[in-house]
């Protein structure tokens, strides 16, 4: 069995007003399919929500922690920015 290592990055992203994915759920955004990244946690009002599921949503001001390839993180950042 071969083991393949790929470079991954981790990035906190703040959801901005007017962002395409502000106010919608992780499932509706189809984050994993669209970006290839995994959402590790969403911090809202100082309260962490680790391993958010498809029913969790992105709110303006949330800090989203994701892990994945740099190009996927760029796509995520664009969808959470205005």
């Amino acid at each position: 069995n071969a083991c393949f290592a790929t470079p991954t990055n981790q990035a906190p992203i703040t959801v901005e007003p007017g962002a395409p994915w502000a106010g919608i759920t992780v499932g509706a955004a189809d984050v994993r399919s669209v970006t290839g990244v995994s959402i590790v946690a969403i911090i809202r009002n100082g309260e962490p929500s680790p391993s958010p599921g498809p029913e969790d949503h992105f709110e303006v001001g949330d800090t989203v922690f994701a892990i994945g390839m740099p190009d996927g993180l760029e796509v995520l950042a664009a969808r959470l920015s205005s």
Side-chain angles (χ1 to χ4, degrees):
N1 292 343
C3 181
F4 299 99
T6 56
T8 58
N9 290 330
Q10 181 178 330
I13 302 164
T14 301
V15 181
E16 297 178 355
W21 284 356
I24 68 169
T25 66
V26 173
D30 202 12
V31 174
R32 183 84 173 139
S33 295
V34 172
T35 66
V37 306
S38 296
I39 304 297
V40 178
I42 297 174
I43 310 290
R44 181 173 299 136
N45 299 320
E47 294 294 321
S49 175
S51 301
E55 71 286 349
D56 290 298
H57 62 283
F58 299 112
E59 286 187 10
V60 171
D62 285 353
T63 301
V64 178
F65 286 86
I67 190 164
M69 299 298 289
D71 56 341
L73 290 168
E74 287 178 21
V75 172
L76 178 64
R79 303 288 170 95
L80 295 176
S81 304
S82 50

